[in-house]
Amino acid sequence: VQDIQVGTSPLGVAFRKDGAFAYVANRGSHNVSVIDVGSRTVVATVPVGTGPQGVAMSNSFAYVALSTVDSVAVISLTTNTVVATIPVGNDPRRLAIDGSFAYVTNSQPPTTVGVINLVTNIQEASIPVPGRPFGIVITSNGQRAFVTLLDKGEVAVIDVPNRQLLTTVSVGSNPLGIAITSDDAHVWVIEGAGGSASVIDVASGTVIDTPAVRPRPQTVAITP
C-alpha cells in the first residue's frame, strides 16, 4: 500500500512498545530511520556508526548491533540520539531483550551470544556456541533462547538463567531468521539456502514440520 524511503541497505527493524514508531537499521548509510507508523513517514534519522544490522527495543531505548565495529549503539527513544555505545563480541548481528538483559549474537570467532546488562551497559558474559550465531529469540518466561547457527544448519538452545548451551537442533541449510509463537509452543526458522522453513516444537526440541516458502528467504515474523 505504500513505500517508505529510508536509508541505504535497510536490514533490521523493530517497533517501539506502543507501536507508534518503527526503527530501521540502514547498513549502507550507517544510520537508523525512525518511522511514524501512523503517517508512514520518516521523522528522524539517527547516525549510529558503521554496519548497523539488528534492532531490539526496551521501554526506553533502541539497541542496534553494529557489525563492523563490534559494538551496540543505544538510542534514547525520547531524544532519538545515541546515548551510549557498548563494546561486545566480534561481528554482532541480532539482539533479543529479556528483562534487564540483552542478548547479542556475535557471529565471528570466538562465536558467542553476549549478555549485556542494560543497567550498566556492559557485556558481562559470553555464552560460547558451536557455529556462527545470527537470529535469536527468547521464550516469554526467560528460560530458553533459540539461536540460528548460519554455518551449521542448526539452532542452538541456551539455558538463559544459567547462561550455558543445552543442545542443538538440526534444521535446513543457512538458517537465518527466527521467530517464536506467542504461546512459546513453536519456533519458526527460515533457511536462506533453499526455499524452506523448519518448525521446532519447543517442548520436545524436535522439528515437526518443514513448510516450503519462496527461494532465498531471510526473516520471519508471527502475528499474535
Side-chain angles (χ1 to χ4, degrees), residues 2 27 32 51 56 61 66 69 79 107 135 174 206:
Q2 186 174 334
R27 180 175 173 82
V32 170
F61 300 98
L66 304 179
V69 290
T79 62
S107 68
N174 196 217
T206 60

Side-chain angles (χ1 to χ4, degrees), residues 106-148:
N106 301 313
S107 68
Q108 291 295 330
T111 53
T112 65
V113 173
V115 183
I116 300 171
N117 185 316
L118 300 185
V119 176
T120 62
N121 279 342
I122 294 172
Q123 179 178 293
E124 65 179 33
S126 295
I127 305 167
V129 291
R132 296 183 60 196
F134 188 82
I136 180 170
V137 292
I138 300 174
T139 56
S140 60
N141 62 8
Q143 295 299 302
R144 297 288 182 268
F146 294 82
V147 182
T148 54

